[in-house]
């Protein structure tokens, strides 16, 4: 079973001017064939997200006319623009909409669905989207539409802005991408207003960003991020927020958008595997955006010097939004306009700077969560998630059913590169059920093909083992598909276990269900509104790799050693000496030295040469 939304890396989509001209040419032919006598460019199957869609296609036709001067387009643009202004601008309050601050304002807005009171929850983002479509048309309308129609569109765009920022509560869905999009709309609108009217709009847009978005950022993995549906980051909407930050910086030149975009870009770079797989989010766990992410990932890949384009997007939306039959939908059209207008090229090389929450070399990568526990491991084309035991999730030693991975104090990290190897040493104090403070030292070493993980902890009672992950998905070239196994070996015993109990709170990787579906089943609210991250935390047990201790470890330690990327047997020798704890394999020797005077762990690494 393939994962539905994570397909090819976005930087694989051709983005030359010629490629974009071909995209626009296809859109033009679809639109001209679809244009109704009334001027509608909506897809016949469009029901929700409808309020901005015809205007979105209009904006693409306007951009195509600007580039080609196709004589068929001026009439189509004027007719379709007239349709939006006549049929899709609403001024009476939508019955049942709870987020109004001013009743009966008469200000224009766009509806999520057309029927009054049917589903008003999406009216705020639909109006943001309509504002963005409108300013894109205004940007390309010179010589294309008559002055009276252009003036009417400008007045409607100004009204959209006032409805969003005065008549309603700002950002009612707590969605960072929508909120930043609104700010972008204000900044772009200001460029079309007389100076005396433009300044207050620009000032308000920047103040909204500072007070309503930036001041409410959420910290995760050392980064401050625009909150998304109540959480720190969503792997569908986060890259869309990055695109909005790119456009905000492009149109305003304000350094704050570049700084915050850089921080979000580095965060995305750290959490993405080398293969571009990611999961997790307060709105979606596995759904990835497509063309909506290209602008931000491309713009900031160049700024931060890393290949963010490896992000696996939904290639069904690789160019623009589509319906089930593949026909164009104007929803999100503004993002295609911006990415065509932006001349930034992809940065395609990995960053050479070690990142605290990422270890990456070749086809191996480990993304670490805020506690410096692996959140995702990639090796040998397989992706491993944290496993669950007794409602505890992570990678780490387990004793008497208790998982030792949650830090009780400062987590220390040391990165080393030597002889073609990359390594990260993570030391964290943990407390078990017996209230004894222990130090867990986790060493991750990769040669770019395999990943060795060695974990040492003070000797544990009973029959401890290392919870070494949940094999979940694999890369088959063009797509990511589900799996329940991987190429893994252990220097001790190794077993792959599956939950003995059944039910929604036990995840068996062999079942025909995705992590996202399982997470939503455990979330408090319906799919699309619940928090899958929160739901997944309710998981009691899962498929899990369990590795036993290696033999002949020092008497006072339990040591576990696992290699990802190969099933071939391997051995590990662990010795305590004057320099510290020495770990030897056939591929490398590592010395986990004594802490320095500041308590920082020491690590030396060398490859074994034959």
């Amino acid at each position: 079973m393939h994962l539905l939304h994570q397909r090819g890396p976005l930087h694989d989509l051709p983005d030359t001017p010629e490629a974009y001209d071909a995209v626009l040419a296809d859109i033009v032919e679809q639109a001209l064939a679809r244009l109704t006598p009334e001027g509608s460019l909506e897809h016949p199957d469009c029901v929700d997200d409808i309020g901005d869609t015809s205007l979105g296609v209009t904006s693409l036709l306007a951009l195509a006319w600007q580039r080609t001067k196709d004589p068929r387009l001026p009439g189509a643009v004027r007719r379709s623009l007239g349709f939006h202004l006549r049929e899709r601008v609403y001024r009476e309050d939508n019955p049942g909409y709870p987020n109004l601050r001013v009743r009966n304002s008469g200000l224009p807005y766009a509806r999520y669905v057309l029927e009054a009171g049917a589903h008003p929850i999406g009216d705020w983002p639909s109006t943001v989207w309509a504002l963005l479509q409108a300013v894109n048309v205004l940007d390309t309308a010179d010589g294309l539409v008559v002055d009276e129609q252009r003036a009417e569109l400008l007045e409607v765009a100004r009204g959209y802005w006032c409805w969003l920022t005065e008549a309603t509560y700002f950002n009612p869905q707590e969605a960072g991408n929508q909120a930043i999009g609104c700010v972008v709309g204000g900044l772009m609108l200001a460029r079309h207003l007389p100076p005396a009217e433009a300044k207050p709009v620009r000032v308000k847009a920047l103040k909204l960003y500072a007070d309503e978005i930036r001041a409410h950022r959420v910290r995760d993995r050392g980064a401050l991020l625009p909150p998304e549906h109540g959480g720190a980051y969503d792997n569908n909407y986060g890259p869309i927020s990055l695109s909005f930050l790119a456009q905000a910086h492009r149109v305003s030149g304000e350094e704050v958008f570049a700084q915050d975009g850089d921080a979000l870009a580095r965060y995305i770079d750290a959490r993405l595997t080398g293969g571009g797989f990611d999961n997790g989010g307060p709105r979606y766990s596995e759904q990835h955006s497509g063309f909506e992410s290209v602008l931000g990932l491309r713009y900031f890949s160049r700024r931060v010097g890393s290949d963010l384009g490896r992000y696996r997007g939904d290639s069904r939306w690789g160019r623009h939004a589509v319906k089930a039959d593949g026909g164009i939908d104007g929803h999100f059209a503004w993002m295609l306009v911006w990415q065509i207008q932006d001349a930034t090229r992809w940065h395609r090389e990995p960053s050479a700077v070690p990142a605290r929450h990422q270890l990456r070399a070749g086809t191996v990568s480990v993304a670490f969560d805020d506690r410096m526990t692996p959140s995702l491991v990639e090796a040998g084309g397989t992706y491993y998630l944290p496993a669950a035991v007794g409602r505890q999730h992570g990678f780490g030693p387990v004793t008497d059913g208790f998982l030792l991975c949650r830090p009780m104090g400062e987590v220390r990290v040391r990165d080393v590169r030597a002889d073609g190897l990359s390594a990260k040493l993570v030391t964290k104090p943990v407390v078990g059920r017996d209230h004894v403070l222990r130090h867990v030292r986790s060493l991750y070493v990769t040669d770019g093909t395999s990943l060795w993980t060695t974990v040492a902890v003070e000797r544990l009672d009973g029959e401890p083992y290392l919870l070494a992950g949940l094999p979940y998905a694999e890369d088959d070239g063009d797509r990511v598909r589900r799996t329940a196994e991987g190429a893994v070996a252990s220097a001790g015993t190794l077993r792959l276990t599956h939950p003995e109990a059944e039910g929604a709170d036990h995840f068996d990787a062999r079942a025909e269900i995705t992590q996202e579906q399982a997470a939503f089943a455990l979330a408090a609210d319906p799919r699309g509104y619940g928090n899958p991250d929160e739901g997944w935390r309710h998981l009691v047990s899962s498929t899990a790799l369990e590795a036993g201790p290696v033999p002949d470890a020092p008497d006072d330690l339990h040591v576990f050693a696992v290699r990802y990327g190969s099933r071939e047997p391997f051995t590990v020798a662990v010795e305590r000496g004057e320099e510290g704890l020495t770990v030897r394999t056939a591929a490398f020797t590592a010395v986990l030295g004594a802490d320095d005077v500041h308590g920082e762990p020491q690590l030396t690494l060398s490859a074994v040469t034959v």
Side-chain angles (χ1 to χ4, degrees):
M1 178 175 62
H2 284 98
L3 299 184
L4 189 60
H5 299 281
Q6 300 201 34
R7 297 176 179 233
L10 287 179
H11 63 201
D12 285 352
L13 292 169
D15 63 347
T16 62
E18 294 76 17
Y20 284 133
D21 283 339
V23 171
L24 287 174
D26 175 61
I27 290 170
V28 165
E29 297 307 321
Q30 284 194 54
L32 292 177
R34 178 186 299 171
L35 185 65
T36 68
E38 296 78 20
S40 173
L41 289 169
E42 292 163 357
H43 190 283
D45 295 338
C46 191
V47 176
D48 54 19
D49 282 324
I50 193 172
D52 69 299
T53 59
S54 182
L55 187 59
V57 179
T58 303
S59 73
L60 291 167
L61 296 184
L63 178 63
W65 178 83
Q66 189 183 60
R67 292 165 72 91
T68 66
K69 296 300 186 288
D70 185 332
R72 299 174 298 169
L73 295 180
V77 168
R78 292 165 192 162
R79 282 173 58 192
S80 61
L81 181 54
F83 169 81
H84 178 83
L85 294 172
R86 185 178 64 252
E87 303 291 341
R88 293 296 179 259
V89 177
Y90 291 83
R91 294 182 182 273
E92 294 95 17
D93 293 353
N94 199 347
Y97 188 64
N99 296 314
L100 292 175
R101 300 175 63 191
V102 180
R103 296 285 179 186
N104 303 313
S105 68
L107 291 169
Y109 68 94
R111 285 188 177 173
Y112 176 68
V113 298
L114 300 182
E115 183 183 352
H119 194 22
I121 190 172
D123 287 359
W124 201 85
S126 289
T127 304
V128 174
W129 282 197
L131 171 61
L132 295 171
Q133 316 283 25
V135 292
N136 275 342
V137 173
L138 290 169
D139 279 353
T140 53
D142 289 343
L144 182 60
V145 300
V146 297
D147 291 345
E148 293 79 8
Q149 197 176 42
R150 187 185 189 284
E152 184 180 358
L153 178 62
L154 178 58
E155 191 58 33
V156 167
R158 190 201 319 250
Y160 285 155
W161 170 254
C162 293
W163 187 86
L164 290 164
T165 61
E166 298 172 13
T168 70
Y169 287 97
F170 185 78
N171 191 22
Q173 294 186 19
E174 296 182 348
N177 76 96
Q178 298 172 10
I180 305 171
C182 182
V183 168
V184 171
L187 294 171
M188 295 183 70
L189 172 66
R191 302 190 303 180
H192 294 282
L193 298 174
E197 298 176 27
K199 183 176 179 180
V201 172
R202 182 183 172 96
V203 168
K204 176 176 276 192
L206 294 175
K207 182 173 175 55
L208 284 169
Y209 182 73
D211 296 348
E212 300 296 334
I213 302 171
R214 201 164 197 265
H216 297 279
R217 288 177 298 170
V218 179
R219 184 178 294 278
D220 185 46
R221 308 186 194 193
L224 286 171
L225 309 170
E228 191 58 60
H229 289 282
Y233 179 80
D234 184 276
N235 66 20
N236 176 57
Y237 291 110
I240 297 176
S241 285
L242 191 66
S243 288
F244 278 129
L245 289 169
Q247 181 67 2
H249 186 240
R250 291 181 68 234
V251 301
S252 74
E254 293 289 336
E255 189 62 22
V256 65
F257 298 120
Q259 293 171 353
D260 291 355
D262 288 348
L264 178 54
R266 292 191 179 99
Y267 172 87
I268 293 173
D269 189 32
R271 69 175 291 143
L272 273 183
T273 61
F277 177 77
D278 185 23
N279 80 304
R283 182 72 185 271
Y284 295 109
S285 290
E286 292 176 347
Q287 180 169 316
H288 271 199
S289 49
F291 74 100
E292 316 100 287
S293 299
V294 168
L295 175 67
L297 294 169
R298 192 174 66 191
Y299 191 84
F300 285 101
S301 74
R302 182 63 53 184
R303 283 187 56 90
V304 304
S306 194
D307 58 331
L308 301 178
R310 70 188 189 275
Y311 174 95
R312 286 183 175 271
D314 189 339
S315 56
R316 296 170 304 173
W317 279 34
R319 295 304 193 183
H320 47 70
V322 297
K323 291 300 185 184
D325 63 358
I328 184 174
D329 183 334
H331 193 50
F332 281 100
W334 28 267
M335 204 71 89
L336 177 57
V337 171
W338 300 342
Q339 68 169 272
I340 291 175
Q341 293 171 336
D342 179 55
T344 306
R345 300 274 63 83
W346 288 108
H347 181 94
R348 294 178 177 270
E349 298 297 324
S351 171
V353 179
R356 178 179 174 90
H357 294 90
Q358 171 72 253
L359 174 66
R360 181 179 168 208
T363 59
V364 171
S365 53
V366 185
F368 296 85
D369 65 16
D370 216 34
R371 306 176 305 185
M372 287 306 299
T373 296
S375 61
L376 193 56
V377 171
E378 173 191 23
T382 300
Y383 302 107
Y384 302 84
L385 301 179
V389 56
R391 211 181 293 275
Q392 305 161 94
H393 300 194
F395 291 72
V398 177
T399 178
D400 191 26
F402 193 86
L403 174 60
L404 298 171
C405 74
R406 295 171 297 280
M408 182 65 71
E410 190 66 24
V411 180
R412 316 271 188 149
V413 178
R414 175 74 69 180
D415 283 281
V416 171
R417 293 178 181 177
D419 301 337
L421 301 170
S422 298
K424 188 182 295 285
L425 174 62
V426 177
T427 65
K428 62 176 72 173
V430 299
V431 174
R433 284 200 178 99
D434 56 7
H435 295 267
V436 174
L437 185 69
R438 295 179 173 86
H439 288 79
V440 176
R441 287 175 285 182
S442 302
L443 173 67
Y444 306 88
V445 180
T446 179
D447 60 0
T449 301
S450 296
L451 171 71
W452 290 264
T453 299
T454 306
V455 178
V457 63
E458 288 88 346
R459 185 159 286 272
L460 304 167
D461 295 332
E463 298 180 358
Y465 63 89
L466 181 73
L467 193 65
L470 155 65
Y472 176 68
E474 62 184 8
D475 190 341
D476 68 358
D478 295 330
R479 298 282 297 278
V480 176
R481 67 177 181 178
R482 281 291 315 285
T483 189
E485 58 183 27
V488 182
S490 172
T493 59
L494 181 68
R495 56 186 179 267
L496 179 65
T497 65
H498 303 286
E500 296 180 0
E502 297 181 353
D505 52 358
H506 302 277
F507 184 79
D508 191 325
R510 299 169 298 181
E512 291 290 319
I513 187 172
T514 68
Q515 186 269 347
E516 182 176 87
Q517 292 169 330
F520 270 121
L522 295 170
D525 296 303
R527 179 179 174 85
Y529 299 99
N531 184 336
D533 276 357
E534 185 178 87
W536 190 250
R537 285 193 289 269
H538 296 155
L539 193 69
V540 174
S541 66
S542 74
T543 293
L545 288 161
E546 300 175 354
V550 303
D552 303 323
D555 292 341
D556 59 340
L557 295 178
H558 269 122
V559 178
F560 309 90
V562 173
R563 186 184 62 209
Y564 303 85
S566 171
R567 291 188 175 89
E568 291 298 315
F570 77 106
T571 59
V572 169
V574 182
E575 304 169 353
R576 191 190 300 281
E578 294 182 0
E579 295 180 338
L581 195 67
T582 299
V583 178
R584 290 190 175 90
T585 72
F588 67 87
T589 298
V591 179
L592 286 58
D595 295 348
D596 66 15
V597 295
H598 301 292
E600 296 296 331
Q602 302 301 298
L603 174 64
T604 59
L605 179 69
S606 61
V608 173
T609 58
V610 179

